[in-house]
Amino acid sequence: MLSPADSLAPEWLVEPVDANDLPTAVWPASTARDAHGVIQIGGVAATDLVHAYGTPLLVIDEDEVRARARAFRQSFDRAAADHGTTAQVYYAGKALLTTTIARWIIDEGLRVDVCTGGELEVALAAGVAPASLGFHGNNKSVAELERAVEVGIGTIIVDSAIEIERLSAITARTEATQRVLVRVISGVHAETHDFLATAHEDQKFGFPLPEAEQAVARIREIPGLEFAGLHCHIGSQIFGVAGFRESASRVLELHAALLESGPVPQLNLGGGFGIAYTSVDDPTPIETLAGEIVTAVAEGCAARGISIPALSFEPGRAIVGTAGVTLYEVGTTKDVALESGATRRYISVDGGMSDNARPALYGAQFSARLASRVGVGSPQLSRVVGKHCESGDIVVDHEFLPVDVTPGDLLAVPATGAYCAPLASNYNHVPRPPIVAVRDGRSTVIVRGETIADVLSRDAGIDAPEAHR
Ligand code: LLP
């Protein structure tokens, strides 16, 4: 019979035999408990990290990022070579972009995809060769496009007819030649764990397939633009290859038609490769995905009697997601009696939706472990919440944690490397945490934490109270 608290557990959540275990898919490979039961990442104990940098703290395992970046590059290189073509891997910087991370990525032979002027500046500041950059966005400003063309960016992924004309004017003025891809909507929309295919998708990115041919024709007329091919991104946190296969097949139809009026050297199939957030997620290994996706493209080309183009991909989450672990300190615990008779344990930590908005934004599930010691007693279903004045401020909705979790303990939330720091805010005037890289027993700050002074620094009434009365 279920105890009252267990009856609150969602069906998918499996009660661990030991709530101190570290399920491998969600943690960096280096994660282990040391002789004192403290979680260590990259050879550095969570307690030492917190002693040095405080909480909340985003810890990034450098070897994990590098290994995943390398796995993508090697897997796609191999798969492409097997089918007589090449593949480039662009790291989607929106997942987590700092100059240090950009340097690791380049070091591992990847390129970088940026989607704003700000991300472009981070990549340039990191020393990424402009030719290795791709530039995305449905509303790139004239200033952003000018900057990109001026620095000699490798590829601009054009998203609208207006953008084509903006680039026409910029390249005419600067006498530059800019390589562009055309982003199309394949009608395939990835839902987590599945995909939907609709003929007309109601969304803001790219050209609907029937309109793309005209856009390409216009680009081919403009002397300053070099048409390099089509781009398609079907969504994020995708498991399996079915969505990629369907999308590639639809886009190849247009690709083949475009070949009749000129060269179409490339095809970029975007990113979206899913990762494990909880122990029930089981993503396909990247080697398998790469092989299956490239084979699907090759088959699609063979069926249309065309040769396979140069391929590119844009993984973000799958490179940095499980390389990141957030450490929090427990502040309070509460057992809340519900009307149903069940009791839910709430564990409050010293961060929340300001450092991880994903649960509030997407209902995203995460997992957690007691990090500063091994817990004793049976696992208890718990909800980890933040310190913000909002009931949706949830960090981990459902997790079995040791029953003796208490104020002062450290909790570790894995798989926070992607889309947590980039989506962070100063809600409730909470400073954003530092980002620390770990490797071989050493830690380095790669983004410093904000101070309260940083947070207050834009309030114009603080230094000049009289002027703002
Ligand atoms: N390429 C394009 C054109 C994209 O729009 C994206 C993500 C990627 C590549 C990288 O996708 P990834 O491999 O990381 O799934 N904030 C959301 C995710 C938004 C993704 C936006 N575009 C989240 O936290 O789940």
Side-chain angles (χ1 to χ4, degrees):
M1 215 187 89
L2 289 175
S3 70
D6 288 348
S7 68
L8 297 173
E11 247 172 57
W12 57 264
L13 184 66
V14 182
E15 178 170 343
V17 178
D18 174 6
N20 298 297
D21 69 349
L22 300 169
T24 50
V26 284
W27 298 89
S30 69
T31 312
R33 288 192 185 269
D34 67 14
H36 307 285
V38 176
I39 288 182
Q40 55 172 41
I41 306 157
V44 192
T47 42
D48 291 342
L49 288 166
V50 168
H51 184 72
Y53 309 110
T55 47
L57 179 66
L58 176 57
V59 182
I60 301 289
D61 184 317
E62 177 177 347
D63 281 340
E64 187 76 18
V65 175
R66 286 179 178 273
R68 288 178 158 266
R70 216 160 36 238
F72 266 97
R73 185 177 53 72
Q74 291 173 348
S75 303
F76 277 109
D77 274 354
R78 211 169 294 138
D82 285 348
H83 292 281
T85 186
T86 58
Q88 294 288 351
V89 181
Y90 287 77
Y91 166 62
K94 65 203 77 163
L96 181 65
L97 192 63
T98 77
T99 52
T100 308
I101 291 174
R103 288 182 189 125
W104 300 342
I105 293 291
I106 288 300
D107 219 30
E108 297 300 337
L110 280 70
R111 300 178 172 211
V112 178
D113 135 33
V114 297
C115 68
T116 61
E119 288 185 0
L120 172 59
E121 294 309 324
V122 176
L124 294 174
V128 179
S132 301
L133 291 171
F135 192 13
H136 268 287
N138 65 301
N139 185 19
K140 305 177 195 79
S141 69
V142 171
E144 286 174 322
L145 291 169
E146 278 172 347
R147 174 78 172 140
V149 172
E150 173 209 329
V151 300
I153 202 159
T155 309
I156 295 180
I157 298 90
V158 297
D159 200 279
S160 66
I162 289 175
E163 187 180 347
I164 294 172
E165 299 312 318
R166 284 181 183 159
L167 281 172
S168 170
I170 293 168
T171 51
R173 202 163 55 238
T174 57
E175 293 179 9
T177 303
Q178 181 60 54
R179 189 177 317 119
V180 298
L181 289 177
V182 168
R183 181 160 178 177
V184 297
I185 308 170
S186 68
V188 174
H189 176 65
E191 298 278 299
T192 304
H193 296 85
D194 204 349
F195 76 92
L196 295 173
T198 56
H200 297 280
E201 211 185 329
D202 192 0
Q203 53 113 327
K204 69 175 183 172
F205 294 107
F207 294 84
L209 278 174
E211 290 165 35
E213 199 157 352
Q214 204 185 334
V216 173
R218 173 68 188 127
I219 289 169
R220 282 174 164 162
E221 282 171 8
I222 298 171
L225 298 185
E226 177 193 327
F227 173 66
L230 299 175
H231 175 286
C232 178
H233 169 79
I234 58 171
S236 208
Q237 185 59 3
I238 304 164
F239 288 79
V241 296
F244 289 101
R245 186 180 296 126
E246 175 65 22
S247 178
S249 152
R250 290 175 174 219
V251 175
L252 281 173
E253 205 56 39
L254 173 62
H255 182 104
L258 292 171
L259 277 171
E260 286 168 21
S261 43
V264 191
Q266 295 181 34
L267 174 64
N268 185 324
L269 290 175
F273 309 94
I275 63 164
Y277 281 99
T278 72
S279 55
V280 297
D281 291 328
D282 186 18
T284 312
I286 185 56
E287 299 74 24
T288 313
L289 283 181
E292 291 184 9
I293 293 171
V294 176
T295 300
V297 176
E299 287 169 358
C301 290
R304 290 167 181 84
I306 58 174
S307 57
I308 184 167
L311 301 175
S312 28
F313 297 90
E314 299 170 336
R317 186 193 314 269
I319 291 180
V320 289
T322 49
V325 176
T326 305
L327 299 174
Y328 299 99
E329 185 176 317
V330 174
T332 62
T333 63
K334 238 180 232 182
D335 291 315
V336 177
L338 308 182
E339 227 170 293
S340 63
T343 303
R344 191 190 296 283
R345 164 151 293 194
Y346 278 85
I347 299 175
S348 297
V349 296
D350 52 355
M353 63 194 295
S354 55
D355 59 80
N356 186 355
R358 298 194 69 258
L361 274 177
Y362 316 114
Q365 302 293 337
F366 283 85
S367 56
R369 285 294 182 264
L370 180 53
S372 43
R373 63 186 176 87
V374 168
V376 291
S378 53
Q380 180 170 16
L381 185 73
S382 307
R383 176 166 287 167
V384 181
V385 294
K387 63 178 288 167
H388 294 277
C389 277
E390 193 155 319
S391 50
D393 174 28
I394 289 166
V395 179
V396 183
D397 214 2
H398 308 284
E399 181 58 292
F400 284 97
L401 285 166
V403 70
D404 63 335
V405 169
T406 193
D409 278 336
L410 299 180
L411 288 191
V413 175
T416 54
Y419 302 112
C420 291
L423 284 167
S425 76
N426 289 130
Y427 186 35
N428 299 141
H429 280 68
V430 170
R432 284 173 290 187
I435 308 178
V436 166
V438 290
R439 185 187 203 186
D440 294 339
R442 284 191 307 276
S443 64
T444 317
V445 174
I446 61 170
V447 175
R448 77 164 172 83
E450 277 176 326
T451 61
I452 286 286
D454 287 330
V455 176
L456 298 187
S457 64
R458 295 186 311 128
D459 185 326
I462 287 185
D463 290 335
E466 289 311 317
H468 293 266
R469 220 170 274 287

